[in-house]
Amino acid sequence: MEIVFVLVPVSLVIVAGALYAFVWSVRNNQYEDLEKEGQRILFDEDPNERRTES
Amino acid sequence: MNRMTEFKACHAGEVQEAIAPAASEPRADRSIAFRESDQPQEAGKRLLSLFVPDIRCAACTLRIEQALLPREDVNTCRTNLAERLVTVEYLGSEPTAIVQAIESLGFTAVPDRGAQVREAHRAERRQMLMRLGVAGIGMMQVMMFALATYLGGEEGIAPAYRALMNWASLAITTPIALFSAMPFHLGAIRDLRQGALGMDVPVSLAISAAFTLSLANTLMGSGDVYYDSVAMFTFLLLLGRFIEMRSRHGYEDSRLLADTLLPVAARLLDGTLVDVREVTPGTEIKVHAGENVAVDGFVVTGQSVVDESAFTGESVPVPKRSGMRVLAGSRNLDGELVVSCTVPFDEFVINRISAMYREASTYKPRFASLADRAARYFVAGILSLAVGSGIYWYLAGGPWFVVALTVLVVSCPCALSLATPVAYSVALSSLRRFGVVVADGRFLERLVATSRIVFDKTGTLTRGALRIESIELLSPDITDIEARRLAASLERDSSHPIARAFECEGAPVADELKVVPGEGVEGVVGGRFYRLGQPEFVLGRPYQAPQTTGMWVLLGSSELPLAWFRLDDEVRDEAGTVVSLLKADRRLSLLTGDGSAEAERVAARVGIEDLSKGLTPIEKLEMVRGYQAAGDVVLMVGDGINDAGAMSQADASLAVSPVDIMVQQAADATLLRADLKAIPVLLEFAARVRRTICQNVFWAIGYNLSVIPLAVTGVLSPWMAALGMSASSMLVVINANRLGWLHGPGALAGDLQWK
């Protein structure tokens, strides 16, 4: 049973990792436009296109 | 809309993004920024529209109103909770004083301009998502730890393990209570500072109290902890607010239509880009395929297909040739067009629609303001109830804290305060997509009560577009089709509504065309000089038309009459079906200014028995007043041109106005798709909106009344309270979101397609 004294802190670390990943994805606009990105491949690539935020 | 046009739509967006920087002006200083959202009104009054992102509850809006209204420079002040908008009519020239007054209350105010509002939305959405994620992920893990202690409570658990679980829960719940629940705490602090009791006070109090007690018990190593309840309560409440935020944003976005569709810059013929606000009438601009038209005007050269679905909800693109009107914000799908601007920026149809929307959105349904006021006393009530039952249970030696906490959580009137505003936001944005512009918020409420519908004839039951009914030849050396073609060539350059009636295939080329306003047109075809119009103009002398009724136009050459055209207006195809549908449960009347037998023909054709013809606008108004005196609630449906008086007298009014003519100001609502089938759909929708609001209010009040006794008597535990309270607000929001769809009565279902 003593193993939980290791496992519980490990679970906390994993939760912290999950939270970090989530916060990172929100900060990097991963959820801003769920439609456009899927359709992007259907458009011609413009070599001079400026990468825009969002 | 098919996939191809959708892709083109995306492209159009990108084109706009690309040209935007070229025309964007440098960031102006603060007071200039506010001056932008500031419109001059009559007599030195100005209207300022502000977006205040941190309005959270009715108490906030009331406080802003209370702070601004006593000011000498403020004339009127209206606030909108669902949209977080403050509209101030003020005297003087400096908007910054008003902005400062709002900011001194602890709010932030930004000008209500599309881009900033959208930016504020994005930031709000992102922040909310993070809070929600922290609460959600944390909640799942806290539940695992809590399960161990719950099982331990039954089976017995060693204090060391129990302490471990509590400390682990504490580690996860701390960010939830501090970060995720921050909007509730901030809201509560602002409320208390202002000496008001808002919705956030009990919520914040419950979260802080439960968390603090759990923290103390964890440190002391004895007593109960409520980390799981804190996490779940926060998560579910945030989820409810998140959904509410989404529907509010959806509504605001539909209002921001003008900023989204209207290009920032217009391309002049020489290729230079100018700010679209600075384009003056008479300027010609170029619109490439895939771009949105930048101005209201008519096509000078070019031929294309234009998508006007943003205005009409009608997804079939409209062909445009030279001479036809195009609207700023519609999308040019095919060829290149040269468009001549006809009106200044503020009078673009799209901007007028947007202004009407802003007007309608500040309207607060009577019931909503009542609920807001009631909620304030309600909060004071539950706070004292929570304290009271806590004291009672303390004296009785029972679980006083748990009971007080449960009462606090369970009785929060969040659902009640959300019940009406969310339903209204969702309903108005659905109507917008359906092609109905609502200018007066009361429209929907009044529509439900309508017992009599009064129709106008021309332009409402009929198309309002003339066509050739019959041709009477006056000379043996001309045939029907020749006469038609001649007339078509003569009318080629005329923009008068009559000209459309003559459009015809195979018209010969005419030279020296001249339009004589009010008289007719003249020109040379095949070496011969012709005139078309009034007999006095064509022949230079009076000439008797074959009949007195109807509209007659004469074609003549060198004072020799050739042919009479009888022009007539066509009854809309759907009028009969719509009338028979409406007849089932409402009385119908037809009021028309037309005194001819034509009026009877139309009435008989569509099936309206109650006909009054040959009325002046004043008489129409009197008729409407008469119906009202007889106890009818009247809906007036007209084209808004000569029945404006009757429209404002009627309880509700609807203008049927093809978007390329004009947006009517007199009507409470305007039907941008000239299709009468929308009327039964609207009536049914209005009834649905009312039903939804009733369900919401009934649920919210019923829920609070039924669970408070259970909480006071200690039957409920805090987690049940948290679940019930947040589920209740979520239910209300989801129920309101059902209004995101309009559908017609069975008989029309198949006919109505909209975006």
Side-chain angles (χ1 to χ4, degrees):
Chain A
M1 272 295 271
E2 284 74 16
I3 187 70
V4 295
F5 284 98
V6 178
L7 290 183
V8 168
V10 166
S11 75
L12 288 180
V13 170
I14 293 173
V15 168
L19 280 179
Y20 177 79
F22 181 74
V23 170
W24 176 89
S25 63
V26 174
R27 286 236 166 104
N28 284 274
N29 306 313
Q30 298 294 317
Y31 302 100
E32 284 302 322
D33 194 345
L34 301 177
E35 288 245 326
K36 191 166 95 188
E37 297 310 313
Q39 292 183 1
R40 188 182 284 283
I41 194 168
L42 299 171
F43 293 109
D44 293 335
E45 194 85 19
D46 182 354
N48 300 323
E49 192 184 330
R50 183 170 50 94
R51 295 291 301 173
T52 49
E53 291 287 310
S54 90
Chain B
M1 197 198 283
N2 62 33
R3 301 304 290 178
M4 201 52 222
T5 43
E6 231 171 86
F7 289 152
K8 283 185 177 170
C10 287
H11 267 315
E14 278 164 23
V15 171
Q16 273 175 45
E17 272 169 32
I19 66 171
S24 72
E25 65 267 84
R27 285 250 168 256
D29 75 331
R30 207 172 138 74
S31 103
I32 289 176
F34 281 107
R35 233 170 262 152
E36 294 250 304
S37 58
D38 182 37
Q39 308 146 14
Q41 303 284 297
E42 75 281 356
K45 287 178 200 156
R46 298 180 74 84
L47 202 64
L48 177 67
S49 196
L50 294 171
F51 177 60
V52 182
D54 37 19
I55 288 182
R56 284 224 163 63
C57 58
C60 307
T61 59
L62 286 173
R63 223 173 306 125
I64 293 176
E65 283 175 14
Q66 279 159 9
L68 289 183
L69 280 175
R71 288 173 63 95
E72 281 189 359
D73 52 348
V74 173
N75 205 14
T76 60
C77 168
R78 277 179 301 177
T79 52
N80 178 286
L81 171 64
E83 272 203 83
R84 305 176 179 196
L85 268 187
V86 180
T87 316
V88 190
E89 195 183 276
Y90 70 105
L91 306 159
S93 59
E94 215 30 69
T96 36
I98 288 160
V99 175
Q100 275 161 5
I102 295 175
E103 283 176 339
S104 67
L105 294 172
F107 295 103
T108 46
V110 293
D112 180 29
R113 284 268 295 165
Q116 275 136 318
V117 176
R118 264 193 305 280
E119 194 44 54
H121 282 177
R122 190 172 298 155
E124 189 187 0
R125 209 160 47 227
R126 204 180 290 186
Q127 184 80 336
M128 197 67 164
L129 208 54
M130 273 201 262
R131 296 190 201 278
L132 196 62
V134 169
I137 295 171
M139 180 186 74
M140 291 189 276
Q141 197 55 41
V142 169
M143 290 298 165
M144 304 300 277
F145 297 143
L147 182 68
T149 54
Y150 282 139
L151 290 176
E154 303 272 316
E155 312 274 320
I157 184 170
Y161 288 111
R162 202 181 138 96
L164 173 70
M165 295 305 167
N166 286 353
W167 281 103
S169 303
L170 173 67
I172 295 173
T173 315
T174 308
I176 298 178
L178 294 183
F179 172 69
S180 295
M182 197 44 98
F184 306 117
H185 299 320
L186 288 178
I189 290 170
R190 197 175 35 232
D191 284 350
L192 292 176
R193 226 185 243 162
Q194 299 292 325
L197 286 174
M199 215 67 70
D200 288 333
V201 176
V203 172
S204 163
L205 202 58
I207 292 173
S208 328
F211 182 73
T212 315
L213 188 80
S214 307
L215 178 65
N217 286 348
T218 306
L219 292 174
M220 291 190 303
S222 68
D224 288 329
V225 294
Y226 305 98
Y227 295 120
D228 53 337
S229 294
V230 170
M232 184 177 71
F233 186 47
T234 311
F235 175 72
L236 292 179
L237 265 187
L238 278 175
L239 194 58
R241 292 223 176 165
F242 187 71
I243 300 173
E244 187 252 344
M245 184 192 75
R246 292 286 303 251
S247 48
R248 197 182 57 228
H249 285 182
Y251 172 55
E252 283 168 17
D253 291 345
S254 72
R255 242 202 58 221
L256 292 172
L257 175 88
D259 304 283
T260 322
L261 293 176
L262 202 58
V264 185
R267 186 182 287 102
L268 297 181
L269 294 186
D270 60 6
T272 52
L273 291 170
V274 292
D275 189 329
V276 64
R277 280 171 293 186
E278 283 158 17
V279 176
T280 49
T283 314
E284 293 191 351
I285 65 154
K286 213 189 282 180
V287 184
H288 292 313
E291 279 181 5
N292 283 17
V293 181
V295 298
D296 272 18
F298 63 91
V299 178
V300 180
T301 54
Q303 197 165 10
S304 178
V305 182
V306 170
D307 177 3
E308 291 183 341
S309 59
F311 297 95
T312 56
E314 172 62 64
S315 55
V316 179
V318 191
K320 297 280 180 187
R321 281 168 316 203
S322 70
M324 295 178 83
R325 283 200 56 176
V326 285
L327 294 170
S330 56
R331 193 179 311 116
N332 179 14
L333 296 177
D334 261 7
E336 189 175 291
L337 293 175
V338 172
V339 176
S340 173
C341 177
T342 46
V343 289
F345 180 76
D346 287 339
E347 285 168 35
F348 289 178
V349 167
I350 194 168
N351 286 329
R352 286 199 280 166
I353 292 176
S354 173
M356 285 164 96
Y357 251 74
R358 209 176 348 254
E359 188 62 31
S361 68
T362 49
Y363 167 73
K364 193 180 269 180
R366 197 164 28 92
F367 193 85
S369 35
L370 193 71
D372 286 344
R373 264 160 238 274
R376 276 202 297 174
Y377 298 105
F378 205 88
V379 170
I382 55 176
L383 286 179
S384 29
L385 192 66
V387 172
S389 43
I391 292 173
Y392 170 82
W393 280 86
Y394 181 74
L395 295 177
W400 63 275
F401 180 78
V402 175
V403 171
L405 183 68
T406 311
V407 171
L408 203 57
V409 169
V410 88
S411 54
C412 177
C414 294
L416 185 61
S417 76
L418 289 175
T420 331
V422 181
Y424 253 82
S425 317
V426 178
L428 284 181
S429 55
S430 302
L431 286 177
R432 175 73 200 83
R433 276 176 292 150
F434 188 61
V436 180
V437 178
V438 178
D440 186 330
R442 276 164 295 189
F443 178 69
L444 279 178
E445 279 175 69
R446 288 173 176 174
L447 210 53
V448 183
T450 303
S451 59
R452 181 182 286 275
I453 304 176
V454 175
F455 288 95
D456 176 43
K457 182 177 72 77
T458 314
T460 307
L461 289 177
T462 65
R463 287 189 194 285
L466 297 165
R467 66 185 178 121
I468 300 170
E469 178 74 25
S470 61
I471 301 176
E472 233 164 88
L473 299 176
L474 303 168
S475 156
D477 36 286
I478 191 165
T479 64
D480 262 22
I481 189 71
E482 279 167 10
R484 259 176 209 261
R485 285 180 177 159
L486 273 175
S489 9
L490 293 173
E491 291 279 9
R492 195 190 66 205
D493 280 1
S494 166
S495 57
H496 193 276
I498 286 182
R500 286 196 190 176
F502 289 98
E503 278 174 14
C504 168
E505 292 287 315
V509 181
D511 294 313
E512 297 171 44
L513 281 176
K514 199 175 144 203
V515 180
V516 184
E519 303 278 346
V521 288
E522 59 181 39
V524 176
V525 182
R528 223 174 138 188
F529 181 74
Y530 293 95
R531 275 180 164 172
L532 178 72
Q534 307 281 342
E536 289 83 359
F537 167 70
V538 175
L539 306 176
R541 61 190 156 89
Y543 190 76
Q544 190 57 45
Q547 283 168 34
T548 45
T549 59
M551 182 177 188
W552 294 89
V553 176
L554 186 66
L555 173 72
S557 168
S558 322
E559 297 178 11
L560 182 74
L562 292 176
W564 278 112
F565 294 94
R566 188 192 153 133
L567 300 182
D568 225 328
D569 202 354
E570 207 178 346
V571 175
R572 291 186 197 277
D573 299 334
E574 74 278 11
T577 326
V578 169
V579 164
S580 61
L581 259 173
L582 294 174
K583 242 188 195 166
D585 38 24
R586 286 176 180 86
R587 287 180 283 279
L588 305 181
S589 310
L590 177 60
L591 303 184
T592 175
D594 185 354
S596 70
E598 178 66 13
E600 268 117 21
R601 192 181 69 84
V602 172
R605 176 86 183 278
V606 300
I608 297 180
E609 285 93 27
D610 180 21
L611 163 76
S612 309
K613 60 177 195 169
L615 302 174
T616 64
I618 302 292
E619 284 167 338
K620 280 190 189 174
L621 192 154
E622 292 297 335
M623 292 288 294
V624 169
R625 196 171 281 163
Y627 292 135
Q628 287 170 324
D632 274 331
V633 176
V634 179
L635 166 68
M636 171 91 204
V637 184
D639 62 2
I641 293 166
N642 53 12
D643 41 23
M647 279 195 164
S648 44
Q649 175 63 35
D651 298 277
S653 56
L654 181 67
V656 181
S657 149
V659 71
D660 58 345
I661 293 181
M662 69 199 315
V663 177
Q664 297 305 328
Q665 305 283 349
D668 297 334
T670 305
L671 217 53
L672 293 181
R673 45 156 68 205
D675 186 342
L676 297 177
K677 286 193 292 268
I679 298 172
V681 178
L682 266 180
L683 287 168
E684 191 173 284
F685 185 66
R688 242 175 81 208
V689 172
R690 225 246 315 242
R691 216 159 44 228
T692 307
I693 291 177
C694 286
Q695 288 162 354
N696 277 357
V697 169
F698 184 79
W699 170 261
I701 292 177
Y703 161 79
N704 273 339
L705 288 185
S706 55
V707 292
I708 290 177
L710 295 178
V712 173
T713 50
V715 176
L716 295 181
S717 53
W719 67 265
M720 290 181 192
L723 200 61
M725 187 259 146
S726 33
S728 163
S729 346
M730 218 136 44
L731 194 76
V732 164
V733 172
I734 291 169
N735 192 30
N737 269 289
R738 291 190 309 136
L739 294 172
W741 295 270
L742 265 93
H743 39 70
L748 294 178
D751 290 340
L752 287 162
Q753 292 169 338
W754 57 291
K755 228 172 74 165

